[in-house]
Amino acid sequence: MTDATPGFRDIGDLKGQAAVISGSTSGIGLALARAVATRGGDVVLNGLGDPAEIERTRAELAASTGVRVLYHPADMTQGDQIDDMVAYAACELGRLDILVNNAGIQHVEAVENFPTDQWEKIIAINLSSAFYATRAAIPHMKALGRGRIVNMASAHGLVASPFKSAYVAAKHGIIGFTKTVALELAQDNITCNAICPGFVHTPIVDKQIDDQARTRNMSREDVMKNVILGSQPTKRFVTTDELAGIFLYLVSDLGASANGASFSIDGGWTAQ
């Protein structure tokens, strides 16, 4: 490729842009925050964890990249706090170019025994938070004349597994929400897409392994081999670097015509 190829040389350049990423104090969200920051973009982190550890993560990322890295403690079950997080990002960073709806939790249990409080919490964090953040972000993106919204769905947004009713329902909802937002904003130079990872070795997956072992009466090792990685033909975890690769494409100018799409990064899971 030559420099004359429109947009190609800019795929990794996010200088001057600003992103807010929910659920970004660890795992996939933190990996995407690093991808933005190392390419010159400012970032607002959000998520749970020990405050001192979150501050260490924030400070290290800012020091190593030279960009502005902020933190907002919004509770993803509270719409008013999500609104405040988006407003804070736009105010402190001066703009909002990228929104990543990544926050998520999981609970593994049969439907007949599924705790109702867990159902409500999963739907709130995994689905409703994306609505509130997107709703708040759109006016800022329209003011810029450009925006990129990326929703972290899952292979479970496309297919189901037993004992994950709330998570599967929420992630299927994210896919539908993504399509609707994409259609509404198609002429505003704002795109909305979903990334559908298979299993990534994150803290949420570690907890799933233990929950699946309990629910299925299996050993942790058997769950890892036959349940978790059993779904993925590659028999390995998806890496956060692989997710960052498709993410950077979607937020670049080259991704301008990718809109309302769901990108499976699952080692062939949903091809079966």
Side-chain angles (χ1 to χ4, degrees), residues 42-66:
D42 298 326
V43 188
V44 171
L45 303 176
N46 157 266
L48 303 176
D50 175 68
E53 181 60 33
I54 291 172
E55 174 54 22
R56 280 192 292 271
T57 298
R58 186 208 62 77
E60 181 276 329
L61 186 55
S64 64
T65 60

Side-chain angles (χ1 to χ4, degrees), residues 24-43:
S24 52
T25 51
S26 66
I28 293 170
L30 181 56
L32 299 186
R34 290 188 187 283
V36 170
T38 56
R39 286 155 181 84
D42 298 326
V43 188

Side-chain angles (χ1 to χ4, degrees), residues 104-243:
I105 60 170
Q106 175 65 284
H107 184 82
V108 178
E109 187 59 84
V111 171
E112 62 186 313
N113 299 319
F114 208 95
T116 56
D117 62 331
Q118 287 295 324
W119 173 275
E120 299 294 344
K121 190 173 182 180
I122 289 170
I123 296 300
I125 293 174
N126 295 29
L127 177 57
S128 296
S129 70
F131 159 74
Y132 284 108
T134 301
R135 180 177 179 272
I138 288 171
H140 299 288
M141 292 180 174
K142 283 186 174 181
L144 286 177
R146 183 188 185 279
R148 296 289 185 264
I149 301 167
V150 178
N151 295 322
M152 194 57 60
S154 167
H156 280 124
L158 303 170
V159 297
S161 293
F163 309 117
K164 298 181 180 181
S165 57
Y167 188 85
V168 170
K171 293 303 185 180
H172 272 65
I174 282 288
I175 299 296
F177 179 68
T178 296
K179 293 177 180 179
T180 299
V181 172
L183 293 176
E184 290 185 9
L185 303 177
Q187 295 184 41
D188 293 300
N189 198 26
I190 301 171
T191 65
C192 184
N193 292 286
I195 299 175
C196 301
F199 283 105
V200 184
H201 207 169
T202 62
I204 193 173
V205 169
D206 266 337
K207 183 178 184 304
Q208 279 189 64
I209 294 169
D210 293 332
D211 287 347
Q212 289 276 13
R214 170 184 54 79
T215 303
R216 295 172 182 264
N217 195 27
M218 296 169 65
S219 71
R220 200 174 192 278
E221 292 72 23
D222 284 344
V223 168
M224 179 83 79
K225 178 181 177 181
N226 299 316
V227 178
I228 302 297
L229 295 180
S231 303
Q232 297 183 184
T234 53
K235 303 305 179 188
R236 68 170 180 84
F237 285 106
V238 177
T239 71
T240 53
D241 282 349
E242 290 163 348
L243 297 181

Side-chain angles (χ1 to χ4, degrees), residues 3-27:
D3 283 349
T5 303
F8 185 81
R9 62 183 174 181
D10 299 324
I11 190 168
D13 184 4
L14 298 176
K15 290 183 178 66
Q17 296 194 36
V20 58
I21 304 174
S22 67
S24 52
T25 51
S26 66

